[in-house]
Amino acid sequence: MIIIITLGKKEGSVKRADGRAFDELRPIKIEAGVLERADGSAYLEFGGNKVLVAVYGPREFHIRRFQKPDQAVVRCRYNMAPFSVDDRKRPGPDRRSVEISKITSEALAPAVFLEKYPRSTIDVFIEVLEAEGGTRCAGITAASVAMADAGIPMRDMVVACAAGKADDNVVLDLSEKEDKEGQADLPVAVMPRTGEITLIQMDGNLSSEEFEKALDLALEGCKKISEIQKDALKTRYGE
Amino acid sequence: MIIIITLGKKEGSVKRADGRAFDELRPIKIEAGVLERADGSAYLEFGGNKVLVAVYGPREFHIRRFQKPDQAVVRCRYNMAPFSVDDRKRPGPDRRSVEISKITSEALAPAVFLEKYPRSTIDVFIEVLEAEGGTRCAGITAASVAMADAGIPMRDMVVACAAGKADDNVVLDLSEKEDKEGQADLPVAVMPRTGEITLIQMDGNLSSEEFEKALDLALEGCKKISEIQKDALKTRYGE
Amino acid sequence: MIIIITLGKKEGSVKRADGRAFDELRPIKIEAGVLERADGSAYLEFGGNKVLVAVYGPREFHIRRFQKPDQAVVRCRYNMAPFSVDDRKRPGPDRRSVEISKITSEALAPAVFLEKYPRSTIDVFIEVLEAEGGTRCAGITAASVAMADAGIPMRDMVVACAAGKADDNVVLDLSEKEDKEGQADLPVAVMPRTGEITLIQMDGNLSSEEFEKALDLALEGCKKISEIQKDALKTRYGE
Amino acid sequence: MVNKMVDIIPEITKKSITNLINNGERADNRALDEYRDITLETGVITKAEGSARVKIGNTQIMIGAKSQIAEPFPDTPKNGVLMTNSELLPMASPTFEPGPPDERSVELSRVVDRCLREGGVIDLEKLCIIPGEKVWMIFLDIHVLDYDGNLMDAAALGCLAAIMDTKIPEATVRDGEIVIDKEKLIELPIKEKALLCTFAKIGNELVLDPSLEEERVMGARITVGVIEDGSVCAMQKGGEEPLTKEEIMKAIKITKEKTDILRKHLN
Amino acid sequence: MVNKMVDIIPEITKKSITNLINNGERADNRALDEYRDITLETGVITKAEGSARVKIGNTQIMIGAKSQIAEPFPDTPKNGVLMTNSELLPMASPTFEPGPPDERSVELSRVVDRCLREGGVIDLEKLCIIPGEKVWMIFLDIHVLDYDGNLMDAAALGCLAAIMDTKIPEATVRDGEIVIDKEKLIELPIKEKALLCTFAKIGNELVLDPSLEEERVMGARITVGVIEDGSVCAMQKGGEEPLTKEEIMKAIKITKEKTDILRKHLN
Amino acid sequence: MVNKMVDIIPEITKKSITNLINNGERADNRALDEYRDITLETGVITKAEGSARVKIGNTQIMIGAKSQIAEPFPDTPKNGVLMTNSELLPMASPTFEPGPPDERSVELSRVVDRCLREGGVIDLEKLCIIPGEKVWMIFLDIHVLDYDGNLMDAAALGCLAAIMDTKIPEATVRDGEIVIDKEKLIELPIKEKALLCTFAKIGNELVLDPSLEEERVMGARITVGVIEDGSVCAMQKGGEEPLTKEEIMKAIKITKEKTDILRKHLN
């Protein structure tokens, strides 16, 4: 039920602090259907990140004035467990998690046939159990698997991955250390079938050329992770 | 209108810090019908505890989705006045008062013919004006009188009292000092007609034998207090 | 579009710290219709005070149980910008702004034909962008202009002004310094056509005679400001 | 911006109360400028350093005072601090809801606070322990138990009584250390006795000490605070109808007379 | 005063579960005093100083422990501090909503906290660094991931396991300075192994470890905490129906037996 | 998890705006890559240490800067602190409600903050007074007064102008004491001029500086921040439709050109 994939090193190019090649992902495993009560769920480990996602819905949106008359609404709640980071995090939403919740909702919505469920809500709860750089991408990747596990009809399975710049090199999938000390971070989410981008954020400093290189690298990373998402569903539901 | 009862000492057994026998209650007085606006009310002094209770209802529960379609809901709010304790207490609910509010609701509900009032709420407001150990039991005891004063049909009048262990002795009705320095506290609420227990909590350390002894002592204490509850109603409404 | 009026000095009487005569107002300018989205708006400068007001409504009150079945409700929100005072003010309402919001609503309501709009709300948002003593009066004065700009039918245009006591003299329109160090402050709002008072507050120490003198002075000040309100509307809408 | 529960009064009730008052009469037979029965007990809460329970008619309020050592406000480094807080307990009225203070509660505590503070009731300078560093902070908690109209006057009277009842430990400074002697209790330094009177405008008249029924139909409310020499120290208008200057001056005049009488009962 | 979502159970479901239990049977074929399968993993969160994931049936809880240096409580100046917090995550049940802890969450963490504290699980005196000034504060965060009944027992078991898994840095005092040696990790000083057992009263019987389905139809709930020698250290009744003294004494008896077995698995 | 007010736009409005844009036209006759009129005033609030009022079309924002002395963050002990806060005032739009910042407000202030911080606008090291102990903290309060689309660009431009307008007192350290000279005001140490450009994807086109009407019908939004040498320092996509890589690269290209022009007006 658990897939462990350590993606092999490629070219002997740039060596990173943790020994990875510039275009190498951290080990990933994804498991679908790990919770009893939720309509769909997934557990993902990505490097040191541990993320659990539960999906409820489509279900009736019980607050009338927030319903959309012609489609469903995707509502995400990204939350970090108090013990997920070095210094205990106080429970409850902070400004960072409010922003991530918003852009995660927007990253997932394009893939869903929302128009099938007017006046409904699809609630996605992302719990970061342990954080080590890249939790928002990990959350989106796991959320797609959980939505598929919930049987929500989707035109594609959104997948996310970051690239960035560390030690003057453009690299894939920043580790926690690279994220903190690095020069730029570029998380990206895509629908892999069309290559359309559903989330992009950036902070740091990248020339246009570096930006394009990082974006291409992130898109490449997304493709690899997409395969692992599919494998997780196959493992659960068979071919 | 005010009944003052100092329950006489029994056996020359264990002497406590405040001179009481092991099975001796602190002085109690209860007065029913002390507020104008509330549907029912009661004021209770129990040792140094001063507790005021107001009851409103049965009245319509104005939030639809919290209504129970086939019965009334008992909602309690236990609150301590800022000046009721040695160091001023900040206004508003804390975790302790949230828990006591919950178990007080559950302690009172079994005695009420809830099924007579579908979709309704019975609101019980317990104000601790001065606290000296045992306020949750004092609140429940006073709340029953206030509910009777409000004319709410009940199968019995719930009464509460604690026993515990202090100075290695099992004793009735811990004082503030005995509660803080003591070895165990066991608050109990009963419906005296059947002896059925509607609230029980414990913390500390009691062997099974001590536990049973303390429970029996508490039940005995409840019986005595039950008489004072009845007297308070008689004083208000006549025989 | 902007009217600047420095009201000339009268008698050579009492000189104040800022050189004004005892019955002299600080310079005022009022501009109506300064915002695009609001139904009505006004900007006012009064000495160093800078106040912006937006009015929305009459519009449906979306919370049913707060609707009045036979009339509209005037709801004010008085708010100070974090940068409006010497030490940065934390965003969000404090006790002072809650009180001012309440009495401002009550100061404006008498002038409005509320009965024309049952179940509706008229929302008045007062933003203090810079504060230099007298912001509540400035807010009320600007709010009336904004309500007129919104086309809300009114029997009169409420106007407000404070008088007080500083350096043992009864004076009009206290400056920030006079307000802080002074002996009394008396903000007043009136409907100038009838002279009826819709807001009065006082704190400090005034004998009856001083009180009456201060009240008369404030009423006189209101009359002057009332003309400036009218000019602002004429400038916007023509005669 | 606070939403208010709407309290709908039958038009007929409003009319009958108004007609009575226009004839100089009240439903409970009081004169227009007459208080209901007032009861005042002090020392009712042992754990409070001062306390009072006040009843005006069926309105019932309990006040407790607590002292603690705190830093002074930066702009008054040599003054002690008075904090006035009120809770409109849901037990007191079906229209009061649990939760943080709403605008009615805030107005109540702020008006009472202004009356006490601007009236100079406590000599705050005498509550300074080390200038700029440590002063006494006195908390007054106004606990509204039963609401039958005119909370302002009851709260102000109860607060004044609680302050007069309060004893705090002696604090002295020895070698830069603050020594609190809990055996040696001293009274608060009281300079003045400020009180409030509240009037409702109903029909063409002002009535003193409105009952709940009168408050529900009143057009406006005016509260006046005065000190012993008759000077005005606080004022607050409420309600959605206007008042005239004459009405306000009349309210001041009656307040002086009535608080003189009230004040005598306080000693 | 907290409003509760109303959970309406079809009368027929209630009856069928109750009838089964009155016949000594349960829907999942357990004996009345039998736990569901229990799984316990520790050390699951690297960044936590101690952690545990516990499953009882489909109920799943994760617990993380974190230490920090803090001031002691004024009344226990020589003791470290244990803080127990719980979150009923909305992921765990459609009836859990985001927001501050509701009364169910508060009750859960307070009962578990009492079991650990009154059961004397940690020797808090050994967590003192400088008496009256600095002590270790241990945070236990109970993260409820999947709710299928009986959170209390799962949380208590997981907390005990997380405490046993916890290693904190050594803190020593040199010349009045606290030196934290993050290389030298030491176990928490454990004195006792207190655990909870929870019973639901359904029909005429008490059933151990109620499933969600059983909780939804139960009349009352009783949770008992005991330590190694069989003494009772905590108890909490819940639910809107009464219990008899006999039922409570029976619950204590079964709890002793069952926690003895559970405890053996913890070493 | 924040609930959003639903804004329903008639299908016909959406179509007509989209058709226009697909033809390279806009309702207000602008080119697709053209800003509305921009007005910028600084020094508008005397009590603020720096301030700006910016209008882009009818969108109007006021920004005030305030300094105070504070402790540095533990991970950057030698750096001053920049705090960016925004309020979507209910006066600015019928869809803005009073209360704590919602997700739109949080996103606005965080994206502007990232642009300023990652763009290196202020040399934060120069705001250190005593390393690890005391640094200057600069508060930027973004006060949204009138909302007619494209808050991001207006806020970033206004913040940069307010920062350039800000003068803080000189702080020196003498004998371990911090001396603040309020007579000697110095400008903030400015290193860079980072700005944002925002595009709406409508139909098949990206349009710069979307008006409110355009925002209401847009499928996606992309905001790009660049510094003087054309490097990208911030980016944020919004909205529930996807974008292509080509669109993003195009947005970067236009942003460079447009911010070059904007920047010239700032000196």
Side-chain angles (χ1 to χ4, degrees), chain D residues 150-198:
Chain D
N150 195 11
L151 295 178
M152 293 263 185
D153 298 4
L157 179 62
C159 281
L160 183 54
I163 288 170
M164 292 170 69
D165 179 53
T166 300
K167 289 191 180 58
I168 59 171
E170 195 183 60
T172 49
V173 183
R174 284 186 219 151
D175 306 329
E177 293 273 309
I178 298 175
V179 182
I180 307 290
D181 186 349
K182 293 207 173 182
E183 301 289 295
K184 217 167 172 179
L185 296 176
I186 53 173
E187 294 190 350
L188 287 181
I190 292 172
K191 279 199 311 190
E192 257 295 349
K193 284 175 191 149
L195 285 170
L196 295 176
C197 282
T198 294

Side-chain angles (χ1 to χ4, degrees), chain A residues 75 99 197 201 206 208, chain F residues 3 110 232 236 243 256:
Chain A
R75 299 189 300 165
E99 185 194 355
I197 293 164
Q201 292 188 295
L206 291 177
S208 292
Chain F
N3 295 317
R110 280 178 65 83
V232 184
Q236 183 92 346
L243 290 173
K256 283 184 196 179

Side-chain angles (χ1 to χ4, degrees), chain C residues 20-41:
Chain C
R20 280 187 288 153
F22 79 98
D23 63 348
E24 190 181 342
L25 293 164
R26 290 172 286 179
I28 313 179
K29 61 178 189 183
I30 307 177
E31 189 181 353
V34 295
L35 297 174
E36 171 71 12
R37 294 304 303 284
D39 296 325
S41 60

Side-chain angles (χ1 to χ4, degrees), chain D residues 77-138:
Chain D
K78 293 181 179 174
N79 286 10
V81 175
L82 178 68
M83 299 291 277
T84 310
N85 178 61
S86 72
E87 284 197 77
L88 304 185
L89 299 173
M91 81 169 15
S93 162
T95 68
F96 295 169
E97 298 194 348
D102 71 359
E103 58 172 27
R104 293 175 297 183
S105 177
V106 167
E107 187 183 38
L108 172 63
S109 57
R110 281 179 65 83
V111 172
V112 170
D113 183 76
R114 280 204 288 273
C115 175
L116 298 171
R117 189 187 304 269
E118 302 292 333
V121 166
I122 301 177
D123 188 347
L124 292 174
E125 291 189 19
K126 292 198 175 140
L127 294 182
C128 180
I129 304 170
I130 304 175
E133 288 183 29
K134 292 291 174 194
V135 300
W136 283 110
M137 178 184 270
I138 309 294

Side-chain angles (χ1 to χ4, degrees), chain C residues 63-134:
Chain C
I63 312 170
R64 271 270 181 91
R65 66 188 183 114
F66 296 133
Q67 290 177 350
K68 284 199 188 178
D70 54 352
Q71 62 164 86
V73 173
V74 176
R75 298 189 300 165
C76 284
R77 181 180 183 261
Y78 167 100
N79 185 53
M80 297 188 95
F83 44 76
S84 64
V85 284
D86 283 325
D87 292 321
R88 178 177 184 267
K89 195 199 156 290
R90 275 178 45 161
D94 55 13
R95 291 161 57 98
R96 179 179 168 275
S97 65
V98 168
E99 185 194 355
I100 295 180
S101 297
K102 175 179 190 291
I103 58 159
T104 300
S105 305
E106 292 171 343
L108 295 170
V112 183
F113 291 105
L114 295 172
E115 60 281 10
K116 290 193 183 234
Y117 304 99
R119 304 187 187 285
S120 303
T121 175
I122 296 167
D123 292 328
V124 179
F125 299 106
I126 297 172
E127 282 297 317
V128 178
L129 300 174
E130 186 151 14
E132 205 204 29

Side-chain angles (χ1 to χ4, degrees), chain A residues 67-117:
Chain A
Q67 290 177 351
K68 283 199 187 178
D70 54 352
Q71 61 165 86
V73 174
V74 176
R75 299 189 300 165
C76 284
R77 181 178 184 262
Y78 167 99
N79 185 53
M80 296 188 94
F83 44 75
S84 64
V85 284
D86 283 325
D87 292 321
R88 177 177 184 266
K89 195 199 157 290
R90 275 176 46 161
D94 55 15
R95 291 161 57 97
R96 179 178 169 275
S97 65
V98 168
E99 185 194 355
I100 294 181
S101 297
K102 175 179 190 291
I103 58 159
T104 300
S105 305
E106 292 170 342
L108 296 170
V112 183
F113 291 104
L114 296 172
E115 60 281 9
K116 290 193 185 235
Y117 304 99

